[in-house]
mmCIF file of all heavy atoms in Angstrom:
data_model
loop_
_atom_site.group_PDB
_atom_site.id
_atom_site.type_symbol
_atom_site.label_atom_id
_atom_site.label_comp_id
_atom_site.label_asym_id
_atom_site.label_seq_id
_atom_site.Cartn_x
_atom_site.Cartn_y
_atom_site.Cartn_z
ATOM 1 N N TRP W 223 94.852 88.892 141.094
ATOM 2 C CA TRP W 223 95.174 88.675 139.689
ATOM 3 C C TRP W 223 95.368 90.008 138.967
ATOM 4 O O TRP W 223 96.194 90.099 138.059
ATOM 5 C CB TRP W 223 94.091 87.835 138.994
ATOM 6 C CG TRP W 223 92.805 88.559 138.727
ATOM 7 C CD1 TRP W 223 91.703 88.602 139.521
ATOM 8 C CD2 TRP W 223 92.500 89.339 137.567
ATOM 9 N NE1 TRP W 223 90.723 89.371 138.941
ATOM 10 C CE2 TRP W 223 91.180 89.831 137.737
ATOM 11 C CE3 TRP W 223 93.194 89.676 136.405
ATOM 12 C CZ2 TRP W 223 90.550 90.635 136.797
ATOM 13 C CZ3 TRP W 223 92.569 90.495 135.462
ATOM 14 C CH2 TRP W 223 91.258 90.953 135.669
ATOM 15 N N THR W 224 94.611 91.033 139.379
ATOM 16 C CA THR W 224 94.752 92.350 138.765
ATOM 17 C C THR W 224 96.102 92.955 139.125
ATOM 18 O O THR W 224 96.789 93.551 138.275
ATOM 19 C CB THR W 224 93.620 93.283 139.228
ATOM 20 O OG1 THR W 224 92.365 92.647 139.030
ATOM 21 C CG2 THR W 224 93.647 94.585 138.444
ATOM 22 N N ARG W 225 96.499 92.793 140.389
ATOM 23 C CA ARG W 225 97.815 93.278 140.803
ATOM 24 C C ARG W 225 98.911 92.571 140.011
ATOM 25 O O ARG W 225 99.901 93.191 139.611
ATOM 26 C CB ARG W 225 97.993 93.047 142.302
ATOM 27 C CG ARG W 225 97.031 93.848 143.173
ATOM 28 C CD ARG W 225 97.131 93.440 144.647
ATOM 29 N NE ARG W 225 98.453 93.703 145.175
ATOM 30 C CZ ARG W 225 98.836 94.873 145.686
ATOM 31 N NH1 ARG W 225 97.996 95.891 145.716
ATOM 32 N NH2 ARG W 225 100.055 95.031 146.172
ATOM 33 N N ASP W 226 98.722 91.265 139.787
ATOM 34 C CA ASP W 226 99.714 90.509 139.020
ATOM 35 C C ASP W 226 99.808 91.025 137.583
ATOM 36 O O ASP W 226 100.906 91.126 137.013
ATOM 37 C CB ASP W 226 99.360 89.023 139.013
ATOM 38 C CG ASP W 226 99.536 88.372 140.384
ATOM 39 O OD1 ASP W 226 100.227 88.966 141.233
ATOM 40 O OD2 ASP W 226 98.968 87.290 140.597
ATOM 41 N N GLU W 227 98.647 91.354 136.967
ATOM 42 C CA GLU W 227 98.659 91.877 135.605
ATOM 43 C C GLU W 227 99.401 93.205 135.538
ATOM 44 O O GLU W 227 100.174 93.457 134.608
ATOM 45 C CB GLU W 227 97.218 92.057 135.093
ATOM 46 C CG GLU W 227 96.519 90.760 134.723
ATOM 47 C CD GLU W 227 97.177 90.052 133.553
ATOM 48 O OE1 GLU W 227 97.651 90.723 132.618
ATOM 49 O OE2 GLU W 227 97.245 88.814 133.576
ATOM 50 N N LEU W 228 99.168 94.065 136.526
ATOM 51 C CA LEU W 228 99.863 95.347 136.551
ATOM 52 C C LEU W 228 101.370 95.146 136.694
ATOM 53 O O LEU W 228 102.168 95.854 136.087
ATOM 54 C CB LEU W 228 99.325 96.213 137.698
ATOM 55 C CG LEU W 228 97.893 96.743 137.516
ATOM 56 C CD1 LEU W 228 97.411 97.411 138.803
ATOM 57 C CD2 LEU W 228 97.824 97.727 136.366
ATOM 58 N N ASP W 229 101.755 94.170 137.517
ATOM 59 C CA ASP W 229 103.181 93.926 137.760
ATOM 60 C C ASP W 229 103.869 93.254 136.579
ATOM 61 O O ASP W 229 105.037 93.542 136.288
ATOM 62 C CB ASP W 229 103.359 93.055 139.003
ATOM 63 C CG ASP W 229 103.053 93.813 140.293
ATOM 64 O OD1 ASP W 229 103.090 95.058 140.256
ATOM 65 O OD2 ASP W 229 102.783 93.164 141.309
ATOM 66 N N ARG W 230 103.160 92.351 135.894
ATOM 67 C CA ARG W 230 103.794 91.516 134.871
ATOM 68 C C ARG W 230 103.541 91.979 133.437
ATOM 69 O O ARG W 230 104.449 92.022 132.616
ATOM 70 C CB ARG W 230 103.312 90.065 135.032
ATOM 71 C CG ARG W 230 103.678 89.452 136.378
ATOM 72 C CD ARG W 230 102.988 88.102 136.548
ATOM 73 N NE ARG W 230 103.196 87.557 137.895
ATOM 74 C CZ ARG W 230 102.583 86.469 138.365
ATOM 75 N NH1 ARG W 230 101.740 85.812 137.582
ATOM 76 N NH2 ARG W 230 102.806 86.053 139.593
ATOM 77 N N PHE W 231 102.283 92.294 133.124
ATOM 78 C CA PHE W 231 101.955 92.633 131.745
ATOM 79 C C PHE W 231 102.412 94.042 131.383
ATOM 80 O O PHE W 231 102.884 94.281 130.268
ATOM 81 C CB PHE W 231 100.443 92.501 131.499
ATOM 82 C CG PHE W 231 100.046 92.819 130.091
ATOM 83 C CD1 PHE W 231 100.427 91.995 129.042
ATOM 84 C CD2 PHE W 231 99.297 93.958 129.800
ATOM 85 C CE1 PHE W 231 100.071 92.287 127.726
ATOM 86 C CE2 PHE W 231 98.940 94.256 128.502
ATOM 87 C CZ PHE W 231 99.322 93.419 127.462
ATOM 88 N N THR W 232 102.303 94.985 132.314
ATOM 89 C CA THR W 232 102.647 96.379 132.006
ATOM 90 C C THR W 232 104.090 96.535 131.531
ATOM 91 O O THR W 232 104.332 97.205 130.515
ATOM 92 C CB THR W 232 102.363 97.288 133.217
ATOM 93 O OG1 THR W 232 101.017 97.085 133.654
ATOM 94 C CG2 THR W 232 102.568 98.746 132.864
ATOM 95 N N PRO W 233 105.087 95.948 132.204
ATOM 96 C CA PRO W 233 106.466 96.091 131.689
ATOM 97 C C PRO W 233 106.630 95.517 130.284
ATOM 98 O O PRO W 233 107.329 96.107 129.446
ATOM 99 C CB PRO W 233 107.301 95.314 132.715
ATOM 100 C CG PRO W 233 106.489 95.328 133.963
ATOM 101 C CD PRO W 233 105.065 95.244 133.499
ATOM 102 N N ARG W 234 105.998 94.382 130.012
ATOM 103 C CA ARG W 234 106.094 93.785 128.674
ATOM 104 C C ARG W 234 105.457 94.699 127.635
ATOM 105 O O ARG W 234 105.997 94.882 126.530
ATOM 106 C CB ARG W 234 105.405 92.425 128.660
ATOM 107 C CG ARG W 234 106.053 91.380 129.555
ATOM 108 C CD ARG W 234 105.148 90.169 129.715
ATOM 109 N NE ARG W 234 104.911 89.480 128.460
ATOM 110 C CZ ARG W 234 103.879 88.680 128.233
ATOM 111 N NH1 ARG W 234 102.968 88.482 129.179
ATOM 112 N NH2 ARG W 234 103.739 88.074 127.078
ATOM 113 N N LEU W 235 104.322 95.267 127.972
ATOM 114 C CA LEU W 235 103.620 96.165 127.065
ATOM 115 C C LEU W 235 104.471 97.390 126.748
ATOM 116 O O LEU W 235 104.631 97.770 125.578
ATOM 117 C CB LEU W 235 102.297 96.594 127.697
ATOM 118 C CG LEU W 235 101.510 97.647 126.930
ATOM 119 C CD1 LEU W 235 100.765 96.992 125.785
ATOM 120 C CD2 LEU W 235 100.546 98.385 127.841
ATOM 121 N N PHE W 236 105.052 98.006 127.775
ATOM 122 C CA PHE W 236 105.854 99.201 127.570
ATOM 123 C C PHE W 236 107.100 98.880 126.736
ATOM 124 O O PHE W 236 107.527 99.695 125.917
ATOM 125 C CB PHE W 236 106.242 99.820 128.909
ATOM 126 C CG PHE W 236 105.171 100.722 129.484
ATOM 127 C CD1 PHE W 236 103.844 100.347 129.475
ATOM 128 C CD2 PHE W 236 105.495 101.942 130.033
ATOM 129 C CE1 PHE W 236 102.854 101.155 130.001
ATOM 130 C CE2 PHE W 236 104.517 102.772 130.576
ATOM 131 C CZ PHE W 236 103.194 102.375 130.546
ATOM 132 N N ASP W 237 107.661 97.706 126.939
ATOM 133 C CA ASP W 237 108.808 97.295 126.132
ATOM 134 C C ASP W 237 108.414 97.185 124.654
ATOM 135 O O ASP W 237 109.164 97.622 123.767
ATOM 136 C CB ASP W 237 109.351 95.947 126.616
ATOM 137 C CG ASP W 237 110.153 96.071 127.905
ATOM 138 O OD1 ASP W 237 110.523 97.206 128.271
ATOM 139 O OD2 ASP W 237 110.401 95.037 128.545
ATOM 140 N N PHE W 238 107.250 96.596 124.402
ATOM 141 C CA PHE W 238 106.779 96.429 123.023
ATOM 142 C C PHE W 238 106.554 97.781 122.363
ATOM 143 O O PHE W 238 107.025 98.021 121.228
ATOM 144 C CB PHE W 238 105.484 95.617 123.015
ATOM 145 C CG PHE W 238 104.860 95.482 121.657
ATOM 146 C CD1 PHE W 238 105.435 94.716 120.664
ATOM 147 C CD2 PHE W 238 103.668 96.144 121.368
ATOM 148 C CE1 PHE W 238 104.856 94.597 119.404
ATOM 149 C CE2 PHE W 238 103.074 96.034 120.121
ATOM 150 C CZ PHE W 238 103.673 95.261 119.132
ATOM 151 N N TYR W 239 105.852 98.691 123.043
ATOM 152 C CA TYR W 239 105.613 100.013 122.478
ATOM 153 C C TYR W 239 106.925 100.762 122.230
ATOM 154 O O TYR W 239 107.084 101.447 121.213
ATOM 155 C CB TYR W 239 104.731 100.841 123.419
ATOM 156 C CG TYR W 239 103.265 100.465 123.424
ATOM 157 C CD1 TYR W 239 102.432 100.846 124.473
ATOM 158 C CD2 TYR W 239 102.691 99.744 122.382
ATOM 159 C CE1 TYR W 239 101.085 100.532 124.491
ATOM 160 C CE2 TYR W 239 101.340 99.412 122.388
ATOM 161 C CZ TYR W 239 100.536 99.813 123.452
ATOM 162 O OH TYR W 239 99.203 99.487 123.462
ATOM 163 N N THR W 240 107.865 100.637 123.163
ATOM 164 C CA THR W 240 109.140 101.332 123.025
ATOM 165 C C THR W 240 109.931 100.801 121.833
ATOM 166 O O THR W 240 110.549 101.564 121.075
ATOM 167 C CB THR W 240 109.972 101.203 124.307
ATOM 168 O OG1 THR W 240 109.237 101.769 125.403
ATOM 169 C CG2 THR W 240 111.300 101.934 124.185
ATOM 170 N N GLN W 241 109.909 99.472 121.647
ATOM 171 C CA GLN W 241 110.611 98.880 120.515
ATOM 172 C C GLN W 241 110.038 99.371 119.187
ATOM 173 O O GLN W 241 110.776 99.578 118.221
ATOM 174 C CB GLN W 241 110.507 97.353 120.579
ATOM 175 C CG GLN W 241 111.335 96.727 121.696
ATOM 176 C CD GLN W 241 110.997 95.254 121.889
ATOM 177 O OE1 GLN W 241 110.259 94.659 121.099
ATOM 178 N NE2 GLN W 241 111.529 94.664 122.949
ATOM 179 N N ARG W 242 108.730 99.575 119.138
ATOM 180 C CA ARG W 242 108.078 99.947 117.885
ATOM 181 C C ARG W 242 108.038 101.451 117.643
ATOM 182 O O ARG W 242 108.031 101.894 116.490
ATOM 183 C CB ARG W 242 106.644 99.397 117.846
ATOM 184 C CG ARG W 242 106.546 97.868 117.892
ATOM 185 C CD ARG W 242 107.411 97.174 116.841
ATOM 186 N NE ARG W 242 107.341 97.790 115.531
ATOM 187 C CZ ARG W 242 106.391 97.545 114.632
ATOM 188 N NH1 ARG W 242 105.450 96.653 114.906
ATOM 189 N NH2 ARG W 242 106.386 98.153 113.473
ATOM 190 N N LEU W 243 107.992 102.258 118.714
ATOM 191 C CA LEU W 243 107.789 103.702 118.540
ATOM 192 C C LEU W 243 108.880 104.562 119.155
ATOM 193 O O LEU W 243 108.805 105.785 119.118
ATOM 194 C CB LEU W 243 106.431 104.112 119.138
ATOM 195 C CG LEU W 243 105.196 103.523 118.459
ATOM 196 C CD1 LEU W 243 103.946 103.913 119.224
ATOM 197 C CD2 LEU W 243 105.095 103.988 117.008
ATOM 198 N N GLY W 244 109.918 103.925 119.730
ATOM 199 C CA GLY W 244 110.964 104.702 120.367
ATOM 200 C C GLY W 244 110.581 105.075 121.792
ATOM 201 O O GLY W 244 109.463 104.812 122.259
ATOM 202 N N LYS W 245 111.492 105.703 122.480
ATOM 203 C CA LYS W 245 111.272 106.057 123.873
ATOM 204 C C LYS W 245 110.236 107.163 123.992
ATOM 205 O O LYS W 245 110.297 108.162 123.275
ATOM 206 C CB LYS W 245 112.590 106.514 124.502
ATOM 207 C CG LYS W 245 112.505 106.756 125.998
ATOM 208 C CD LYS W 245 113.868 107.136 126.558
ATOM 209 C CE LYS W 245 113.772 107.391 128.062
ATOM 210 N NZ LYS W 245 115.092 107.779 128.632
ATOM 211 N N PRO W 246 109.272 107.032 124.903
ATOM 212 C CA PRO W 246 108.282 108.106 125.068
ATOM 213 C C PRO W 246 108.891 109.292 125.786
ATOM 214 O O PRO W 246 109.925 109.178 126.456
ATOM 215 C CB PRO W 246 107.198 107.445 125.929
ATOM 216 C CG PRO W 246 107.946 106.445 126.752
ATOM 217 C CD PRO W 246 109.033 105.919 125.839
ATOM 218 N N ALA W 247 108.259 110.442 125.639
ATOM 219 C CA ALA W 247 108.716 111.631 126.348
ATOM 220 C C ALA W 247 108.520 111.439 127.847
ATOM 221 O O ALA W 247 107.584 110.768 128.290
ATOM 222 C CB ALA W 247 107.935 112.854 125.875
ATOM 223 N N GLY W 248 109.420 112.016 128.632
ATOM 224 C CA GLY W 248 109.290 111.946 130.078
ATOM 225 C C GLY W 248 110.030 110.772 130.681
ATOM 226 O O GLY W 248 110.597 109.923 129.986
ATOM 227 N N ALA W 249 110.010 110.730 132.024
ATOM 228 C CA ALA W 249 110.702 109.694 132.775
ATOM 229 C C ALA W 249 109.749 108.541 133.098
ATOM 230 O O ALA W 249 108.619 108.503 132.623
ATOM 231 C CB ALA W 249 111.274 110.287 134.063
ATOM 232 N N ARG W 250 110.210 107.608 133.913
ATOM 233 C CA ARG W 250 109.387 106.476 134.324
ATOM 234 C C ARG W 250 108.094 106.980 134.963
ATOM 235 O O ARG W 250 108.117 107.804 135.866
ATOM 236 C CB ARG W 250 110.162 105.604 135.323
ATOM 237 C CG ARG W 250 109.392 104.366 135.778
ATOM 238 C CD ARG W 250 110.238 103.471 136.648
ATOM 239 N NE ARG W 250 110.696 104.131 137.866
ATOM 240 C CZ ARG W 250 111.236 103.488 138.901
ATOM 241 N NH1 ARG W 250 111.424 102.187 138.840
ATOM 242 N NH2 ARG W 250 111.630 104.150 139.958
ATOM 243 N N PRO W 251 106.932 106.505 134.495
ATOM 244 C CA PRO W 251 105.676 107.071 134.972
ATOM 245 C C PRO W 251 105.320 106.651 136.399
ATOM 246 O O PRO W 251 105.775 105.628 136.902
ATOM 247 C CB PRO W 251 104.652 106.507 133.987
ATOM 248 C CG PRO W 251 105.259 105.237 133.506
ATOM 249 C CD PRO W 251 106.740 105.502 133.443
ATOM 250 N N THR W 252 104.482 107.485 137.002
ATOM 251 C CA THR W 252 103.865 107.163 138.283
ATOM 252 C C THR W 252 102.514 106.511 138.004
ATOM 253 O O THR W 252 101.772 106.960 137.133
ATOM 254 C CB THR W 252 103.658 108.436 139.121
ATOM 255 O OG1 THR W 252 104.931 109.029 139.375
ATOM 256 C CG2 THR W 252 102.977 108.127 140.441
ATOM 257 N N LEU W 253 102.177 105.465 138.752
ATOM 258 C CA LEU W 253 100.900 104.777 138.598
ATOM 259 C C LEU W 253 100.079 104.931 139.875
ATOM 260 O O LEU W 253 100.583 104.720 140.983
ATOM 261 C CB LEU W 253 101.120 103.286 138.319
ATOM 262 C CG LEU W 253 99.868 102.391 138.402
ATOM 263 C CD1 LEU W 253 98.923 102.698 137.249
ATOM 264 C CD2 LEU W 253 100.251 100.913 138.392
ATOM 265 N N LEU W 254 98.812 105.312 139.713
ATOM 266 C CA LEU W 254 97.843 105.251 140.797
ATOM 267 C C LEU W 254 96.744 104.304 140.346
ATOM 268 O O LEU W 254 96.049 104.568 139.366
ATOM 269 C CB LEU W 254 97.244 106.630 141.100
ATOM 270 C CG LEU W 254 98.186 107.707 141.634
ATOM 271 C CD1 LEU W 254 97.391 108.996 141.917
ATOM 272 C CD2 LEU W 254 98.897 107.250 142.893
ATOM 273 N N ALA W 255 96.595 103.181 141.037
ATOM 274 C CA ALA W 255 95.573 102.194 140.700
ATOM 275 C C ALA W 255 94.664 102.020 141.909
ATOM 276 O O ALA W 255 95.067 101.459 142.931
ATOM 277 C CB ALA W 255 96.209 100.862 140.308
ATOM 278 N N ALA W 256 93.438 102.526 141.811
ATOM 279 C CA ALA W 256 92.501 102.518 142.938
ATOM 280 C C ALA W 256 91.455 101.428 142.757
ATOM 281 O O ALA W 256 91.047 101.109 141.639
ATOM 282 C CB ALA W 256 91.821 103.877 143.068
ATOM 283 N N TRP W 257 91.014 100.882 143.882
ATOM 284 C CA TRP W 257 89.988 99.831 143.895
ATOM 285 C C TRP W 257 88.732 100.367 144.571
ATOM 286 O O TRP W 257 88.763 100.787 145.718
ATOM 287 C CB TRP W 257 90.507 98.603 144.619
ATOM 288 C CG TRP W 257 89.500 97.521 144.876
ATOM 289 C CD1 TRP W 257 89.096 97.038 146.074
ATOM 290 C CD2 TRP W 257 88.780 96.758 143.886
ATOM 291 N NE1 TRP W 257 88.174 96.037 145.909
ATOM 292 C CE2 TRP W 257 87.962 95.838 144.570
ATOM 293 C CE3 TRP W 257 88.760 96.773 142.489
ATOM 294 C CZ2 TRP W 257 87.124 94.944 143.908
ATOM 295 C CZ3 TRP W 257 87.916 95.881 141.833
ATOM 296 C CH2 TRP W 257 87.117 94.981 142.537
ATOM 297 N N GLY W 258 87.605 100.341 143.822
ATOM 298 C CA GLY W 258 86.346 100.873 144.329
ATOM 299 C C GLY W 258 85.428 99.855 144.951
ATOM 300 O O GLY W 258 84.272 100.176 145.262
ATOM 301 N N GLY W 259 85.890 98.617 145.132
ATOM 302 C CA GLY W 259 85.073 97.616 145.801
ATOM 303 C C GLY W 259 84.116 96.891 144.887
ATOM 304 O O GLY W 259 84.134 97.043 143.656
ATOM 305 N N THR W 260 83.236 96.085 145.480
ATOM 306 C CA THR W 260 82.364 95.175 144.720
ATOM 307 C C THR W 260 80.886 95.543 144.797
ATOM 308 O O THR W 260 80.032 94.734 144.433
ATOM 309 C CB THR W 260 82.556 93.733 145.222
ATOM 310 O OG1 THR W 260 82.264 93.674 146.631
ATOM 311 C CG2 THR W 260 83.984 93.255 144.989
ATOM 312 N N ALA W 261 80.555 96.743 145.264
ATOM 313 C CA ALA W 261 79.143 97.126 145.341
ATOM 314 C C ALA W 261 78.515 97.160 143.947
ATOM 315 O O ALA W 261 77.352 96.777 143.773
ATOM 316 C CB ALA W 261 79.014 98.488 146.023
ATOM 317 N N PHE W 262 79.277 97.611 142.960
ATOM 318 C CA PHE W 262 78.813 97.569 141.584
ATOM 319 C C PHE W 262 78.862 96.122 141.101
ATOM 320 O O PHE W 262 79.865 95.431 141.266
ATOM 321 C CB PHE W 262 79.695 98.472 140.710
ATOM 322 C CG PHE W 262 79.364 98.442 139.250
ATOM 323 C CD1 PHE W 262 78.145 98.902 138.787
ATOM 324 C CD2 PHE W 262 80.280 97.957 138.325
ATOM 325 C CE1 PHE W 262 77.844 98.876 137.437
ATOM 326 C CE2 PHE W 262 79.990 97.929 136.973
ATOM 327 C CZ PHE W 262 78.767 98.388 136.523
ATOM 328 N N LYS W 263 77.803 95.649 140.467
ATOM 329 C CA LYS W 263 77.691 94.229 140.136
ATOM 330 C C LYS W 263 78.559 93.810 138.951
ATOM 331 O O LYS W 263 78.989 92.658 138.872
ATOM 332 C CB LYS W 263 76.231 93.871 139.860
ATOM 333 C CG LYS W 263 75.338 93.957 141.095
ATOM 334 C CD LYS W 263 73.914 93.536 140.765
ATOM 335 C CE LYS W 263 73.026 93.614 142.000
ATOM 336 N NZ LYS W 263 71.623 93.212 141.710
ATOM 337 N N GLY W 264 78.788 94.705 138.028
ATOM 338 C CA GLY W 264 79.542 94.338 136.835
ATOM 339 C C GLY W 264 81.023 94.620 136.968
ATOM 340 O O GLY W 264 81.635 94.353 137.999
ATOM 341 N N VAL W 265 81.595 95.170 135.894
ATOM 342 C CA VAL W 265 83.017 95.529 135.853
ATOM 343 C C VAL W 265 83.125 96.965 135.368
ATOM 344 O O VAL W 265 82.541 97.325 134.341
ATOM 345 C CB VAL W 265 83.805 94.607 134.897
ATOM 346 C CG1 VAL W 265 85.225 95.124 134.700
ATOM 347 C CG2 VAL W 265 83.830 93.184 135.438
ATOM 348 N N SER W 266 83.840 97.780 136.100
ATOM 349 C CA SER W 266 84.087 99.154 135.685
ATOM 350 C C SER W 266 85.591 99.394 135.679
ATOM 351 O O SER W 266 86.257 99.201 136.694
ATOM 352 C CB SER W 266 83.403 100.139 136.642
ATOM 353 O OG SER W 266 83.740 101.468 136.305
#
Side-chain angles (χ1 to χ4, degrees):
W223 73 267
T224 308
R225 295 173 62 86
D226 291 343
E227 285 296 323
L228 290 172
D229 288 340
R230 299 171 187 172
F231 181 68
T232 307
R234 296 168 63 202
L235 174 79
F236 276 44
D237 284 345
F238 175 70
Y239 285 161
T240 301
Q241 289 169 8
R242 298 308 316 276
L243 295 175
K245 187 177 179 181
R250 182 174 61 167
T252 299
L253 169 69
L254 295 182
W257 172 241
T260 58
F262 176 65
K263 292 182 180 180
V265 171
S266 175

